[in-house]
Amino acid sequence: MRVVIAEDHALLRDGLTRILEAFEFEVVAVVGRGPDVLPTLLDCKPDVAVLDVRLPPTFTDEGLQAAIAARRQMPGLPILVLSQHVEPLYARELLSDRRGGVGYLLKDRVSDVAQFVDAVRQVAGGGTMMDPEVVARLLDRSRPLDVLTPREREVLGEMAAGRSNAAIAAKLFITEKAVSKHINNIFTKLGLPVSEDDNRRVLAVLAYLDS
């Protein structure tokens, strides 16, 4: 699996490269500046890109803007964004086109190698991976969730984190049938169409929560 990395901190950049190569990813390019990201992605056409949100020269949103621009020219390009802080605005922008795998992970999570590698694989496969802290922020900001029961809010949080029904059932110690029932109730209460597509349902829920 071919990967492009965009990260300005040399130590973290080297660490990401070593981790991915240890798990048999092929890191085809590594860049450290915002203006280099888009041409590199267009030239390499990777299976997935791992991008820092804030890159030189302005350290604002160069990585994010490059990701959005790249997805316009290569629809569905899988993008995993890394950020130092929880920034829900960036999460909403990344999800806005609803095409291809997307992820938003706090840099602290990179220290958990298994979680980071799983996130890269999930996004490369067309899935969605949202950091639990980002999900929590989105949930806390959304007053319409008052219509949900505490258990439904738990299930919604796990859905937004990209977990399957089986994984949700295992984590919450309930049956998959109960999870399906809660999900149907969630979509009904929030006015969202029921879908068996995990990626689309997560994107729909997150888009609604951040609207």
Side-chain angles (χ1 to χ4, degrees):
M1 191 178 297
R2 304 170 71 253
V3 185
V4 166
I5 297 173
E7 167 59 51
D8 63 297
H9 291 288
L11 289 177
L12 180 55
R13 189 167 62 230
D14 183 62
L16 294 174
T17 301
R18 289 173 180 272
I19 289 172
L20 291 175
E21 289 180 342
F23 283 84
E24 300 184 350
F25 290 87
E26 180 187 0
V27 178
V28 294
V30 179
V31 298
R33 299 181 69 257
D36 299 329
V37 176
L38 179 58
T40 300
L41 292 176
L42 295 178
D43 181 56
C44 294
K45 295 179 173 58
D47 298 307
V48 60
V50 179
L51 309 178
D52 188 359
V53 167
R54 299 184 177 186
L55 293 169
T58 68
F59 294 99
T60 54
D61 62 355
E62 285 91 339
L64 175 72
Q65 293 304 325
I68 293 172
R71 283 165 69 96
R72 289 195 191 104
Q73 298 188 50
M74 292 187 293
L77 172 67
I79 300 285
L80 174 61
V81 167
L82 301 180
S83 180
Q84 193 68 44
H85 307 288
V86 177
E87 299 171 283
L89 174 62
Y90 293 148
R92 186 184 70 241
E93 288 196 49
L94 184 64
L95 293 167
S96 62
D97 68 7
R98 309 286 185 87
R99 294 174 296 178
V102 291
Y104 187 111
L105 201 64
L106 293 182
K107 287 186 176 181
D108 289 346
R109 309 296 182 192
V110 176
S111 60
D112 186 331
V113 173
Q115 183 178 15
F116 170 66
V117 171
D118 180 66
V120 176
R121 285 179 174 151
Q122 187 165 327
V123 171
T128 301
M129 180 63 190
M130 298 298 293
D131 192 287
E133 287 192 31
V134 177
V135 173
R137 282 283 297 276
L138 294 177
L139 293 176
D140 289 342
R141 294 170 65 226
S142 183
R143 292 186 59 82
L145 293 184
D146 291 343
V147 301
L148 303 182
T149 66
R151 176 61 87 182
E152 288 166 353
R153 287 174 64 93
E154 283 186 300
V155 171
L156 179 58
E158 299 302 324
M159 287 169 57
R163 292 188 173 87
S164 66
N165 286 14
I168 295 172
K171 183 167 183 180
L172 300 182
F173 301 104
I174 57 178
T175 65
E176 286 190 53
K177 183 176 181 180
V179 171
S180 295
K181 180 179 179 180
H182 287 311
I183 290 173
N184 287 336
N185 289 341
I186 290 166
F187 279 121
T188 299
K189 292 180 179 180
L190 297 184
L192 297 168
V194 179
S195 171
E196 294 301 321
D197 186 321
D198 289 340
N199 189 38
R200 285 186 301 162
R201 75 181 188 178
V202 173
L203 293 176
V205 171
L206 288 177
Y208 177 86
L209 295 178
D210 207 31
S211 64

